[in-house]
Amino acid sequence: MMRRQVGAALGVIGVVSTIGLLSGCMSDQAAAGFTAPEDYETVEQLVSDADVVAVVQAGDQAVDVVDKVPYTRTELKLRKVLLGVVAKNAHLAVTQVGSTASPPGAGLAAVLRDGHEYVVVLHRTGAGEFEIVGPGVWRADTLGTSLTLHTTMLPSVPAAIPHVTTPWALEVELGEAAESLGTSIIGSH
């Protein structure tokens, strides 16, 4: 009986600690003037807010802390542009709230990891500078045959946004979304 009570108490402490960590991160974001991303229900909504959708490899990273909130800037090596226009040898970087040591919080894409390949939906914030659109990015497995949505809160991502897919299936879905929007070139350039 005592073990169950101790186990239950530890479980409650773990849940409260996790909620405190996430809410603390979100309150730090609010203090820094960061607004959480919009909720996206479909791939079409992601594409409509994007300037570029591409296959990239994450590279060097640098973390800056502003008002107690970590921001990670990751250099990207362009592998393939799926939608939008980016020069073939362009230098690209994405800035995300959070770091590998400090999770970014609910509703945000998990921080990109050096050396991993991803399909990213990006909004341009400056020359060669981008932010991630939506709740995550698709991370390629080691063989590049499967993509898994890489996010902090997978259960809250709508089913219409694929959680596990193949590169080909995602490319088809992105093409259908662009076609329904009436363009293959998206966003402003």
Side-chain angles (χ1 to χ4, degrees):
M1 178 75 165
M2 183 66 160
R3 284 185 189 175
R4 272 191 256 158
Q5 290 173 339
V6 170
L10 290 175
V12 169
I13 290 169
V15 169
V16 170
S17 297
T18 302
I19 290 170
L21 176 64
L22 292 176
S23 66
C25 188
M26 293 308 283
S27 65
D28 285 347
Q29 290 170 3
F34 175 78
T35 54
E38 291 182 42
D39 290 330
Y40 291 91
E41 298 291 324
T42 65
V43 171
E44 185 175 304
Q45 290 173 340
L46 291 172
V47 169
S48 71
D49 281 355
D51 292 305
V52 175
V53 181
V55 179
V56 299
Q57 181 177 8
D60 293 337
Q61 296 180 325
V63 177
D64 288 320
V65 178
V66 179
D67 293 332
K68 299 182 189 176
V69 179
Y71 290 86
T72 301
R73 183 177 186 277
T74 305
E75 300 291 327
L76 303 177
K77 184 173 187 178
L78 185 63
R79 297 287 190 210
K80 180 180 180 183
V81 175
L82 302 175
L83 292 172
V85 175
V86 176
K88 186 175 183 173
N89 295 323
H91 294 284
L92 307 177
V94 66
T95 299
Q96 297 176 267
V97 174
S99 70
T100 55
S102 176
L108 300 172
V111 175
L112 302 177
R113 302 278 182 160
D114 184 20
H116 291 276
E117 284 198 358
Y118 300 91
V119 174
V120 292
V121 181
L122 302 172
H123 172 72
R124 190 180 317 272
T125 59
E129 299 289 327
F130 296 87
E131 63 186 4
I132 293 172
V133 174
V137 296
W138 289 274
R139 186 166 129 181
D141 67 4
T142 54
L143 299 176
T145 58
S146 175
L147 299 170
T148 302
L149 192 62
H150 191 60
T151 182
T152 58
M153 297 296 286
L154 188 60
S156 65
V157 177
I161 296 176
H163 295 193
V164 177
T165 188
T166 64
W168 181 82
L170 184 59
E171 195 165 347
V172 167
E173 191 166 354
L174 290 167
E176 289 171 355
E179 187 176 308
S180 73
L181 293 169
T183 184
S184 62
I185 307 300
I186 53 179
S188 58
H189 307 285

